Coordinates of all heavy atoms in Angstrom, one line a residue:
V55 N -13.6 -6.8 -7.8 CA -12.7 -6.2 -8.8 C -12.0 -5.0 -8.2 O -10.7 -4.9 -8.3 CB -13.5 -5.7 -10.0 CG1 -12.6 -5.0 -11.0 CG2 -14.1 -7.0 -10.7
I56 N -12.7 -4.0 -7.7 CA -12.1 -2.8 -7.2 C -11.3 -3.0 -6.0 O -10.2 -2.4 -5.8 CB -13.3 -1.8 -6.9 CG1 -14.0 -1.4 -8.2 CG2 -12.7 -0.5 -6.3 CD1 -15.3 -0.7 -7.9
G57 N -11.7 -3.9 -5.1 CA -11.0 -4.2 -3.9 C -11.2 -3.1 -2.9 O -12.2 -2.4 -2.9
H58 N -10.3 -2.8 -2.0 CA -10.4 -1.7 -1.0 C -9.0 -1.4 -0.5 O -8.0 -2.1 -0.6 CB -11.3 -2.1 0.1 CG -10.9 -3.4 0.9 ND1 -9.9 -3.3 1.9 CD2 -11.3 -4.6 0.8 CE1 -9.7 -4.5 2.4 NE2 -10.5 -5.4 1.8
I59 N -8.9 -0.2 0.2 CA -7.7 0.2 0.9 C -8.0 -0.1 2.4 O -9.1 -0.4 2.8 CB -7.4 1.7 0.7 CG1 -8.5 2.5 1.3 CG2 -7.1 2.0 -0.7 CD1 -8.1 4.0 1.3
G60 N -6.9 -0.1 3.1 CA -7.0 -0.3 4.6 C -5.8 0.3 5.3 O -4.8 0.8 4.6
R61 N -5.8 0.4 6.6 CA -4.8 1.0 7.3 C -3.4 0.3 7.1 O -3.4 -0.9 7.0 CB -5.1 1.0 8.8 CG -6.2 2.0 9.2 CD -6.5 1.8 10.7 NE -7.6 2.7 11.0 CZ -8.3 2.6 12.2 NH1 -8.0 1.7 13.0 NH2 -9.3 3.4 12.4
I62 N -2.4 1.0 7.0 CA -1.1 0.5 6.8 C -0.7 -0.3 8.1 O -0.7 0.2 9.2 CB 0.0 1.6 6.5 CG1 -0.3 2.2 5.2 CG2 1.4 1.0 6.5 CD1 0.6 3.4 4.9
S63 N -0.4 -1.6 7.9 CA 0.0 -2.5 9.0 C 1.5 -2.6 9.1 O 2.2 -2.1 8.3 CB -0.6 -3.9 8.8 OG -0.1 -4.5 7.7
N64 N 1.9 -3.3 10.2 CA 3.4 -3.5 10.3 C 3.9 -4.4 9.1 O 5.0 -4.1 8.7 CB 3.6 -4.3 11.6 CG 3.5 -3.4 12.8 OD1 3.5 -2.2 12.7 ND2 3.2 -4.0 14.0
A65 N 3.1 -5.3 8.7 CA 3.5 -6.1 7.5 C 3.7 -5.2 6.3 O 4.6 -5.4 5.5 CB 2.5 -7.2 7.2
D66 N 2.7 -4.2 6.1 CA 2.8 -3.3 5.0 C 4.1 -2.5 5.1 O 4.8 -2.2 4.1 CB 1.6 -2.4 4.9 CG 0.3 -3.1 4.6 OD1 0.4 -4.0 3.8 OD2 -0.7 -2.8 5.2
N67 N 4.4 -2.0 6.3 CA 5.6 -1.2 6.5 C 6.9 -2.0 6.2 O 7.8 -1.5 5.6 CB 5.7 -0.7 8.0 CG 4.8 0.5 8.3 OD1 4.7 1.3 7.4 ND2 4.2 0.5 9.4
D68 N 6.9 -3.3 6.5 CA 8.0 -4.2 6.2 C 8.1 -4.3 4.7 O 9.3 -4.2 4.1 CB 7.8 -5.5 6.8 CG 7.9 -5.5 8.3 OD1 8.5 -4.5 8.9 OD2 7.5 -6.5 9.0
M69 N 7.0 -4.4 4.0 CA 7.0 -4.5 2.5 C 7.5 -3.2 1.9 O 8.4 -3.2 1.0 CB 5.6 -4.8 2.0 CG 5.5 -4.9 0.5 SD 5.2 -3.3 -0.3 CE 3.6 -3.0 0.3
L70 N 7.1 -2.1 2.4 CA 7.6 -0.8 1.9 C 9.1 -0.6 2.1 O 9.8 0.0 1.3 CB 6.8 0.3 2.6 CG 5.3 0.4 2.2 CD1 4.6 1.5 3.1 CD2 5.1 0.7 0.7
A71 N 9.5 -1.1 3.3 CA 11.0 -1.0 3.6 C 11.8 -1.8 2.6 O 12.8 -1.4 2.1 CB 11.3 -1.4 5.0
R72 N 11.3 -3.1 2.3 CA 12.0 -4.0 1.4 C 12.0 -3.4 0.0 O 13.0 -3.6 -0.7 CB 11.3 -5.4 1.4 CG 11.5 -6.2 2.6 CD 11.1 -7.6 2.4 NE 9.8 -7.8 1.8 CZ 8.7 -7.9 2.6 NH1 8.8 -7.9 3.9 NH2 7.5 -8.0 2.0
T73 N 11.0 -2.7 -0.4 CA 10.9 -2.2 -1.8 C 11.4 -0.7 -1.8 O 11.2 -0.1 -2.9 CB 9.5 -2.3 -2.3 OG1 8.6 -1.6 -1.4 CG2 9.1 -3.8 -2.5
E74 N 11.9 -0.2 -0.7 CA 12.5 1.1 -0.7 C 11.5 2.2 -1.1 O 11.8 3.1 -1.8 CB 13.8 1.2 -1.5 CG 14.9 0.3 -1.1 CD 16.1 0.4 -1.9 OE1 16.0 1.1 -3.0 OE2 17.2 -0.1 -1.5
R75 N 10.2 2.0 -0.6 CA 9.2 3.0 -0.9 C 8.6 3.6 0.4 O 7.6 4.3 0.3 CB 8.0 2.2 -1.6 CG 8.4 1.7 -3.0 CD 7.4 0.6 -3.4 NE 6.1 1.1 -3.5 CZ 5.0 0.3 -3.4 NH1 5.2 -1.0 -3.3 NH2 3.8 0.8 -3.4
T76 N 9.3 3.5 1.5 CA 8.8 4.0 2.8 C 8.6 5.5 2.6 O 7.6 6.1 3.1 CB 9.7 3.7 3.9 OG1 9.8 2.3 4.0 CG2 9.2 4.3 5.2
S77 N 9.5 6.2 2.0 CA 9.4 7.7 1.9 C 8.2 8.2 1.2 O 7.7 9.2 1.4 CB 10.7 8.3 1.2 OG 10.8 7.8 -0.1
D78 N 7.7 7.3 0.2 CA 6.5 7.7 -0.5 C 5.3 7.7 0.3 O 4.2 8.2 -0.1 CB 6.3 6.8 -1.7 CG 7.4 7.0 -2.8 OD1 7.9 8.1 -2.9 OD2 7.7 6.1 -3.6
Y79 N 5.4 7.1 1.5 CA 4.2 6.9 2.4 C 4.3 7.7 3.6 O 3.6 7.5 4.6 CB 3.9 5.4 2.7 CG 3.4 4.7 1.5 CD1 4.2 4.3 0.5 CD2 2.0 4.4 1.4 CE1 3.7 3.6 -0.6 CE2 1.5 3.8 0.3 CZ 2.3 3.4 -0.7 OH 1.8 2.7 -1.8
A80 N 5.2 8.7 3.6 CA 5.4 9.6 4.8 C 4.1 10.4 4.9 O 3.6 11.0 4.0 CB 6.5 10.6 4.6
G81 N 3.5 10.2 6.1 CA 2.2 10.9 6.3 C 1.0 10.1 5.9 O -0.2 10.5 6.1
S82 N 1.2 9.0 5.1 CA 0.1 8.2 4.6 C -0.4 7.3 5.7 O 0.4 6.8 6.5 CB 0.5 7.4 3.4 OG 0.8 8.3 2.3
T83 N -1.7 7.0 5.7 CA -2.2 6.1 6.7 C -2.8 4.8 6.1 O -3.0 3.8 6.8 CB -3.4 6.8 7.5 OG1 -4.4 7.2 6.6 CG2 -2.8 8.0 8.3
H84 N -3.0 4.8 4.7 CA -3.7 3.7 4.1 C -3.0 3.2 2.9 O -2.2 4.0 2.3 CB -5.2 4.1 3.7 CG -6.1 4.3 4.9 ND1 -5.9 5.2 5.8 CD2 -7.2 3.6 5.2 CE1 -6.9 5.1 6.7 NE2 -7.7 4.1 6.4
I85 N -3.3 2.0 2.5 CA -2.6 1.4 1.3 C -3.6 0.4 0.7 O -4.5 -0.1 1.4 CB -1.3 0.6 1.8 CG1 -0.4 0.3 0.6 CG2 -1.6 -0.6 2.6 CD1 1.0 -0.1 0.9
G86 N -3.4 0.1 -0.6 CA -4.3 -0.9 -1.2 C -4.2 -2.3 -0.7 O -3.0 -2.8 -0.5
K87 N -5.3 -2.9 -0.4 CA -5.3 -4.3 0.3 C -5.8 -5.4 -0.6 O -5.5 -6.6 -0.4 CB -6.1 -4.2 1.6 CG -5.6 -3.3 2.6 CD -4.4 -3.8 3.4 CE -4.1 -3.0 4.6 NZ -3.0 -3.6 5.4
L88 N -6.6 -5.0 -1.6 CA -7.3 -6.1 -2.4 C -7.7 -5.5 -3.7 O -7.8 -4.3 -3.9 CB -8.6 -6.5 -1.6 CG -9.3 -7.8 -2.1 CD1 -8.5 -9.0 -1.6 CD2 -10.7 -7.9 -1.5
G89 N -7.8 -6.4 -4.7 CA -8.3 -6.0 -6.0 C -7.4 -5.0 -6.7 O -6.2 -5.0 -6.6
L90 N -8.0 -4.2 -7.6 CA -7.2 -3.2 -8.3 C -6.6 -2.2 -7.4 O -5.6 -1.6 -7.7 CB -8.2 -2.5 -9.3 CG -8.7 -3.3 -10.5 CD1 -9.7 -2.5 -11.3 CD2 -7.6 -3.8 -11.4
E91 N -7.2 -1.9 -6.2 CA -6.6 -1.1 -5.2 C -5.2 -1.6 -4.9 O -4.3 -0.8 -4.6 CB -7.4 -1.0 -4.0 CG -8.7 -0.2 -4.1 CD -8.5 1.3 -4.0 OE1 -7.4 1.8 -4.2 OE2 -9.5 2.0 -3.6
Q92 N -5.0 -2.9 -4.8 CA -3.7 -3.5 -4.5 C -2.8 -3.5 -5.7 O -1.6 -3.1 -5.7 CB -3.9 -4.9 -3.9 CG -2.6 -5.6 -3.5 CD -2.8 -7.0 -3.0 OE1 -3.9 -7.4 -2.8 NE2 -1.7 -7.7 -2.8
S93 N -3.3 -4.1 -6.9 CA -2.4 -4.3 -8.0 C -2.0 -3.0 -8.7 O -0.9 -2.9 -9.3 CB -3.1 -5.2 -9.0 OG -4.3 -4.7 -9.5
Y94 N -2.8 -1.9 -8.5 CA -2.4 -0.6 -9.1 C -2.1 0.4 -8.0 O -2.2 1.6 -8.2 CB -3.5 -0.1 -10.0 CG -3.5 -0.8 -11.3 CD1 -4.2 -2.0 -11.5 CD2 -2.8 -0.3 -12.4 CE1 -4.2 -2.6 -12.7 CE2 -2.8 -0.9 -13.7 CZ -3.5 -2.1 -13.8 OH -3.5 -2.8 -15.0
E95 N -1.7 0.0 -6.8 CA -1.4 0.8 -5.7 C -0.3 1.9 -6.0 O -0.5 3.1 -5.7 CB -0.9 0.0 -4.5 CG -0.3 0.8 -3.4 CD -1.2 1.7 -2.6 OE1 -2.4 1.5 -2.7 OE2 -0.7 2.7 -2.1
T96 N 0.7 1.5 -6.7 CA 1.8 2.4 -7.0 C 1.3 3.5 -7.9 O 1.6 4.7 -7.7 CB 3.0 1.7 -7.7 OG1 3.4 0.6 -6.8 CG2 4.1 2.6 -8.0
Q97 N 0.6 3.2 -8.9 CA 0.1 4.2 -9.8 C -1.0 5.1 -9.2 O -1.0 6.3 -9.4 CB -0.5 3.6 -11.1 CG 0.5 2.8 -11.9 CD 0.6 1.4 -11.5 OE1 0.3 1.0 -10.4 NE2 1.1 0.6 -12.4
L98 N -1.8 4.6 -8.3 CA -2.9 5.3 -7.7 C -2.3 6.2 -6.6 O -2.9 7.3 -6.3 CB -3.9 4.4 -7.1 CG -4.8 3.6 -8.1 CD1 -5.5 2.5 -7.4 CD2 -5.8 4.6 -8.8

């Protein structure tokens, strides 16, 4: 249910670029990968 976060990968960077959210992750190293960590990543 909870899922987990993980290091931002190249695929994640591509996704952030497509959704114009790269600036929100300046200095960030991790992102939601599974479960609620993933589905509520933006809010968290």
Side-chain angles (χ1 to χ4, degrees):
V55 173
I56 298 168
H58 60 78
I59 63 171
R61 290 176 183 166
I62 296 175
S63 65
N64 288 338
D66 293 323
N67 281 325
D68 292 342
M69 179 273 295
L70 292 173
R72 287 195 307 270
T73 56
E74 299 181 348
R75 295 162 56 204
T76 301
S77 61
D78 290 335
Y79 286 78
S82 297
T83 58
H84 288 64
I85 195 169
K87 298 281 189 177
L88 194 74
L90 293 172
E91 288 276 26
Q92 180 181 352
S93 56
Y94 284 86
E95 165 66 24
T96 302
Q97 294 88 339
L98 290 166

